[in-house]
Amino acid sequence: MKQRLKAFFTPVRIFALALFACIILALTSFFSGKVQEALRLGFDTVIVPMQKGINSLGGVFYDHAVNLAAREELESQVTDLTSQVEDLQAENQRLQQDAYELSRLRQLYALDEQYASWPKTAARVIGSGSDNWDMEFTIDKGSDDGMRVDMNVIAGNGLVGIITAVYPNRSVVRSIIEDNSYVSGMLASTGQICSVRGDISLMESGQIRVTDFSADTDAKAGDEIVTSNISDKYLQGILIGTVSEISSDGSQITKSGTITPAADFENLQEVLVITTTKADLTGDGS
Amino acid sequence: MKYRLYQIALIFVFFVAEIELVPLIRVSGNGPELLLLLPVFFGFFGGPVNGIFAGLLAGILADVYGGTLLGTSAFLFVCFGYMSGRLLENVEQEEFFFPMMLTFLSAFLYECAMWFVLFVLHNRIDAGFFFTRKILPVSLYTLVAGIALYFPVRYLDRKMRAAAGRGEKRNETNLS
């Protein structure tokens, strides 16, 4: 029996069997994401703690090096900053009065709080896309920490991306500079709608493409683009970036160009996840 | 059995390096495909069956953490492992040039396939950009990584082979 088995498993047959197994895997995961999900969950239990460990170890060394280098610079900055603080305190006083007046006027107009500050959770980036073709990255919070798919992710004051998959202890974020990413944006000043698309050929220069501006738009270099009111995934008014150049398309019906994102994608370490989704706000929770 | 465990351990080490180390050494978004090296190397050291085994395992790992459909990389890696085992069957074990050539060829084919699956199928051909900025740089980078890792992996492989009592045989056909 053993001899027969041995005789059956020639390299060619093993090769054919392996290819067959791959095709079966592809077909099953094409029709349902369950296989891939189960495998990922299995690997996660091993990989995620390790990633966290390696990251914090690297962080210790990095912080130390940065500390040494930055110390002198910081000392000179402190004196500059103390004088700035005094100026700002005076200005803050004035602005608080303005804010008070604004809230009073808002109440008068009964305006909704469109731009209210959304609840946010900080998360650490623990891994970047594991191949050369995409710009997904992984954060160290998952469904156990209340993360859900479609939550917006920001860093600094700029939009970074959106959560596309959630696992118990990590989530996958698709960044807006990734090739298949699409965000509906608008010009902050006038509210004209445009489309913001990631483009792999611009990724290297850190830019994103902006398209579908109507030809009569007054967008020009330096204008701010924010997420639009008609987007069904992104909350309104999050800064995406500033226009770096814009020109007419061949058709003369639309204009397109590139924008420089406000978030720094080169050095993403900590991000903020907005725990309200657009679906929560519009009331059609998925 | 002992030798298989060693192979699995090495694949896992390469996988961790791929997701932890490669992001740090990327040049303008392109890094080496470390996992691709193993099927080619094991195919050369141990014949087609070893290549297929390493290809299947490394491919599934690459798929689980990559952006493509599960099974795509596994399919290609299995092909590379088999190809390496078959084509290099009669090449001297001391040879350096042929396995490296096959490494480059495999990486090139792999990147072309990725380009095809991720972009050409979505009607984004742009061949000039992808060949000069993505496919060729990644293949070359993989070749460089292959050159750097070839001798350490070969050394380890011979040690483990001797420890597992396998000797210097490459046309192994059984799975154990």
Side-chain angles (χ1 to χ4, degrees):
Chain A
M1 187 62 203
K2 210 177 173 196
Q3 282 300 316
R4 269 179 134 184
L5 262 182
K6 220 172 177 180
F8 175 76
F9 280 114
T10 59
V12 184
R13 285 189 176 135
I14 295 174
F15 179 53
L17 275 177
L19 289 190
F20 186 68
C22 293
I23 292 170
I24 294 289
L25 266 181
L27 284 178
T28 47
S29 66
F30 182 74
F31 289 112
S32 94
K34 282 197 182 119
V35 184
Q36 193 149 7
E37 209 166 289
L39 275 173
R40 273 205 184 196
L41 275 179
F43 288 125
D44 272 355
T45 50
V46 185
I47 295 296
V48 170
M50 204 152 62
Q51 278 184 319
K52 278 185 185 169
I54 293 175
N55 271 296
S56 57
L57 194 70
V60 169
F61 285 115
Y62 181 78
D63 287 349
H64 197 66
V66 169
N67 279 346
L68 285 177
R71 190 172 170 169
E72 273 179 34
E73 201 188 321
L74 286 175
E75 275 170 357
S76 73
Q77 274 184 3
V78 166
T79 43
D80 289 355
L81 287 175
T82 33
S83 67
Q84 259 190 40
V85 166
E86 282 161 16
D87 289 352
L88 288 174
Q89 271 172 343
E91 201 184 332
N92 192 23
Q93 206 95 63
R94 195 177 56 74
L95 288 176
Q96 266 175 355
Q97 285 171 1
D98 282 356
Y100 173 70
E101 191 180 352
L102 179 68
S103 69
R104 202 163 45 83
L105 290 174
R106 270 210 184 126
Q107 271 173 5
L108 284 178
Y109 277 108
L111 276 179
D112 282 345
E113 281 203 67
Q114 278 282 20
Y115 305 102
S117 52
W118 295 292
K120 301 183 198 77
T121 316
R124 200 177 282 273
V125 177
I126 55 168
S128 59
S130 64
D131 61 32
N132 293 315
W133 294 90
D134 56 29
M135 271 297 293
E136 283 180 348
F137 58 89
T138 311
I139 57 176
D140 68 346
K141 292 209 171 150
S143 52
D144 290 353
D145 311 285
M147 298 293 111
R148 279 175 295 143
V149 171
D150 283 352
M151 282 181 175
N152 296 179
V153 179
I154 59 175
N157 56 349
L159 183 66
V160 169
I162 193 162
I163 294 183
T164 52
V166 173
Y167 303 95
N169 49 5
R170 69 184 188 109
S171 310
V172 176
V173 178
R174 189 181 66 206
S175 67
I176 52 168
I177 60 173
E178 191 178 326
D179 199 84
N180 53 8
S181 146
Y182 167 81
V183 185
S184 165
M186 67 181 183
L187 206 57
S189 48
T190 61
Q192 279 161 328
I193 302 294
C194 59
S195 313
V196 179
R197 294 164 198 275
D199 190 325
I200 193 167
S201 57
L202 290 174
M203 216 184 260
E204 201 180 311
S205 56
Q207 305 265 304
I208 353 177
R209 198 171 290 290
V210 57
T211 54
D212 300 340
F213 262 128
S214 61
D216 59 349
T217 177
D218 23 310
K220 55 188 184 305
D223 284 352
E224 286 183 342
I225 304 279
V226 296
T227 47
S228 81
N229 47 340
I230 58 166
S231 169
D232 56 354
K233 292 274 174 71
Y234 292 93
L235 298 160
Q236 182 185 345
I238 305 172
L239 182 62
I240 301 175
T242 50
V243 177
S244 44
E245 58 101 353
I246 192 159
S247 59
S248 269
D249 290 333
S251 62
Q252 305 292 332
I253 299 169
T254 53
K255 278 186 171 181
S256 60
T258 54
I259 60 183
T260 313
D264 177 10
F265 287 93
E266 282 293 304
N267 308 302
L268 276 184
Q269 293 198 348
E270 267 115 27
V271 293
L272 292 173
V273 181
I274 300 176
T275 50
T276 311
T277 62
K278 186 88 176 205
D280 295 341
L281 289 185
T282 50
D284 47 78
S286 49
Chain B
M1 197 60 218
K2 208 169 158 193
Y3 184 67
R4 285 276 173 250
L5 283 179
Y6 149 74
Q7 278 186 316
I8 293 170
L10 194 67
I11 290 169
F12 197 72
V13 168
F14 268 56
F15 169 65
V16 172
E18 168 100 32
I19 59 174
E20 290 296 339
L21 223 62
V22 170
L24 302 179
I25 54 167
R26 287 222 167 111
V27 178
S28 67
N30 299 320
E33 302 276 1
L34 289 187
L35 280 172
L36 181 132
L37 297 174
L38 288 175
V40 178
F41 286 2
F42 280 132
F44 178 53
F45 298 145
V49 177
N50 278 315
I52 293 167
F53 175 77
L56 194 62
L57 199 63
I60 288 174
L61 279 173
D63 281 331
V64 166
Y65 270 81
T68 47
L69 194 64
L70 188 67
T72 325
S73 306
F75 189 93
L76 292 162
F77 282 12
V78 165
C79 291
F80 299 149
Y82 184 73
M83 189 167 81
S84 159
R86 269 276 178 260
L87 291 183
L88 304 179
E89 217 156 20
N90 299 318
V91 174
E92 273 295 316
Q93 278 291 282
E94 298 304 318
E95 184 60 66
F96 175 68
F97 179 71
F98 283 104
M100 287 305 115
M101 232 176 72
L102 210 63
T103 303
F104 180 76
L105 185 72
S106 303
F108 187 78
L109 289 176
Y110 181 63
E111 294 308 308
C112 285
M114 283 295 153
W115 171 52
F116 189 80
V117 171
L118 294 171
F119 291 93
V120 177
L121 289 182
H122 298 146
N123 204 11
R124 291 265 313 273
I125 297 176
D126 204 0
F129 168 78
F130 283 107
F131 268 98
T132 54
R133 307 302 282 277
K134 221 68 220 178
I135 296 174
L136 277 177
V138 173
S139 315
L140 281 174
Y141 211 162
T142 309
L143 178 65
V144 170
I147 291 172
L149 291 168
Y150 176 69
F151 289 107
V153 174
R154 191 174 79 178
Y155 175 77
L156 256 180
D157 191 76
R158 287 183 181 174
K159 278 260 176 249
M160 290 314 295
R161 228 159 236 290
R166 284 215 173 197
E168 180 68 23
K169 210 42 260 148
R170 297 158 51 205
N171 11 7
E172 287 158 351
T173 48
N174 59 341
L175 280 165
S176 60

